[in-house]
Amino acid sequence: MYSLHLRRKAVLLLAVLLAFAQAACSKASAPETASSSVAYTPSPAGTAPSSPGPASSGVHPSPSPSAKPTSSAPQGKVTALRLADEKIGWAGGEGWIARTDDGGKSWHTQLEHPYVVNQLFALNGKEAWAALDIGSSKALRLMHTTDGGQTWTEAGEMPGRGFLHFVSSKEAFSGNEHTTDGGRTWTRLNVPASTAGEAYFHDRSNGWAVAQKQSSGEFSMMRTTDGGHSWTAVFTRASSVPINGVVIRSAGSRDAWAQLIGDSGMSQTSYSLFHTADGGRSWTAVVANNQAGSGPAPGFKMDEKTTVPRNNGTAPGPLYVVNPKAAFMGGQCPACDLPNTIGKTTDGGRTWVNLPGEFAGYGPQLIAAADADHVWRITTDNTDPSVLYTSSNGGKSWSKAHTFDKPKP
């Protein structure tokens, strides 16, 4: 009996040693994976992000020294686009941020996260920011990279959803919100009480807003040169319709482009575009799109005879300003088979050119430009893949550069 007990113990010990040996062998033969796609561990929604640091930045590169960018294309609908130059750019969507270094032909996923990318902004090819929709009714989580996207860290939370633009590594504006510490804290700048839509600050001194008087039907272009402490009406115009939305962009301290949105009806939206390059002393009516179903454009009458050009489409698309002379604006036609078009000006708005080409996609159109010649457009749809088209001649011709395939079921 004692001998049988010893034999059983010996068999059990041998099995244990064999299991350890097999595990060690399996671990030694397993190949190492190499990928620069990083996993983002978010803070709980609604809480302040932790301070960046070795243990709390939230996003870390692959520890493998041989890590390389993944060659797989990002999957899903594109929701944000930004260029650093004619070759380098970032795109984002639901759960991912990707970068291109070859003019949009190939994309490398850099960041995976559980949110939708609301906005992207690039100061250059190394430093960029992404605003993630974390499910809050207002706030967006701000992510930051200083190494071209190899690593991303939490920079803070934007208190609103205004257009984000950085003027330096630390200073940025989002609507009338201002930060000087890279997005960790924000200060609200004063705007006129009757402001329609969103104000725009080009820098800490110069800003623009559109104020409207409901009683008289007038609107005024407002300017501040002291950071919002005081505002001056630099242009006033009668309007047959109220202003339901405003998009302002600026390419200089004395430059402003204002897209004014009117009424909507029958899949149509009326809108106008105005521009000043001299601090508001003179304004050019760049575009006026009166629509039979939605009525007159803000600042115009329905039956008014005018030489102001029309932009193609029955509703406005995104406005992208390159410099005080050049700007692009999309047009959309929800009832058309090919809904997406683009128009432009290269002389400060004195003339408007509707560029050739109509493109598919019933979602928002995204536009970005490195200069007046190199412009990108992404068409989106809820069922079909997002598609990137690029132009190197100011939109006279377009090349299909990349298709962002949908995820496989």
Side-chain angles (χ1 to χ4, degrees):
M1 180 68 73
Y2 180 72
S3 176
L4 178 60
H5 180 68
L6 289 177
R7 286 199 298 272
R8 287 176 176 174
K9 291 181 66 176
V11 170
L12 180 60
L13 179 60
L14 181 61
V16 172
L17 292 175
L18 181 60
F20 273 111
Q22 289 176 338
C25 180
S26 175
K27 183 176 181 180
S29 61
E32 291 186 3
T33 59
S35 174
S36 68
S37 179
V38 293
Y40 168 44
T41 305
S43 303
T47 62
S50 56
S51 300
S56 63
S57 62
V59 185
H60 306 280
S62 168
S64 171
S66 61
K68 297 179 180 179
T70 176
S71 60
S72 62
Q75 301 292 305
K77 182 178 178 180
V78 180
T79 57
L81 173 68
R82 193 72 186 189
L83 303 187
D85 56 36
E86 62 187 70
K87 295 292 185 181
I88 298 173
W90 280 271
E94 185 174 357
W96 56 270
I97 297 173
R99 173 181 166 123
T100 181
D101 291 277
D102 59 6
K105 296 177 183 178
S106 62
W107 294 80
H108 306 290
T109 304
Q110 294 185 322
L111 180 66
E112 296 176 54
H113 52 81
Y115 304 120
V116 175
V117 180
N118 180 276
Q119 297 185 61
L120 291 165
F121 185 85
L123 198 60
N124 48 53
K126 293 292 185 181
E127 193 163 17
W129 291 263
L132 309 183
D133 190 340
I134 58 178
S136 168
S137 60
K138 293 184 178 180
L140 298 171
R141 179 158 298 150
L142 195 60
M143 305 299 295
H144 180 214
T145 181
T146 58
D147 56 11
Q150 296 181 47
T151 57
W152 293 81
T153 57
E154 291 185 20
E157 284 191 357
M158 293 169 52
R161 294 172 177 252
F163 175 71
L164 174 69
H165 66 108
F166 276 79
V167 296
S168 70
S169 295
K170 294 295 184 181
E171 187 175 18
F173 300 86
S174 172
N176 64 320
E177 302 285 351
H178 180 217
T179 181
T180 57
D181 57 11
R184 187 160 301 281
T185 61
W186 296 80
T187 302
R188 180 162 294 180
L189 303 174
N190 180 57
V191 298
S194 55
T195 296
E198 181 183 295
Y200 182 98
F201 282 82
H202 174 266
D203 52 53
R204 66 176 63 192
S205 297
N206 296 282
W208 301 87
V210 177
Q212 64 178 336
K213 297 179 180 180
Q214 298 289 355
S215 58
S216 63
E218 291 182 341
F219 68 84
S220 296
M221 304 292 190
M222 309 293 291
R223 186 189 183 203
T224 181
T225 57
D226 56 12
H229 293 291
S230 62
W231 291 84
T232 302
V234 292
F235 174 63
T236 298
R237 190 178 179 102
S239 181
S240 301
V241 295
I243 297 172
N244 295 313
V246 173
V247 176
I248 303 175
R249 298 291 183 263
S250 172
S253 61
R254 297 172 59 79
D255 179 72
W257 304 72
Q259 182 191 66
L260 310 181
I261 311 300
D263 288 332
S264 297
M266 299 176 60
S267 299
Q268 301 174 356
T269 299
S270 297
Y271 63 99
S272 52
L273 177 66
F274 294 88
H275 175 235
T276 181
D278 57 11
R281 287 187 297 178
S282 62
W283 289 82
T284 300
V286 184
V287 164
N289 272 44
N290 294 342
Q291 313 285 348
S294 56
F300 298 89
K301 297 178 180 179
M302 191 64 191
D303 57 353
E304 182 178 357
K305 293 183 179 180
T306 175
T307 59
V308 179
R310 284 181 54 87
N311 191 34
N312 279 345
T314 58
L319 171 65
Y320 194 97
V321 171
V322 178
N323 55 49
K325 294 290 186 181
F328 295 87
M329 185 168 62
Q332 289 197 295
C333 178
C336 298
D337 292 334
L338 298 174
N340 299 288
T341 55
I342 289 183
K344 74 170 184 178
T345 179
T346 55
D347 56 10
R350 289 194 298 273
T351 59
W352 185 259
V353 178
N354 286 295
L355 297 170
E358 299 175 345
F359 296 83
Y362 290 97
Q365 183 179 192
L366 307 174
I367 299 175
D371 51 47
D373 291 324
H374 298 89
V375 56
W376 298 7
R377 68 195 298 174
I378 291 181
T379 59
T380 68
D381 196 90
N382 289 329
T383 58
D384 295 326
S386 300
V387 180
L388 168 66
Y389 300 90
T390 63
S391 175
S392 59
N393 57 12
K396 295 177 182 177
S397 61
W398 298 89
S399 299
K400 185 177 180 180
H402 188 79
T403 300
F404 296 83
D405 292 327
K406 294 184 298 183
K408 296 181 180 179

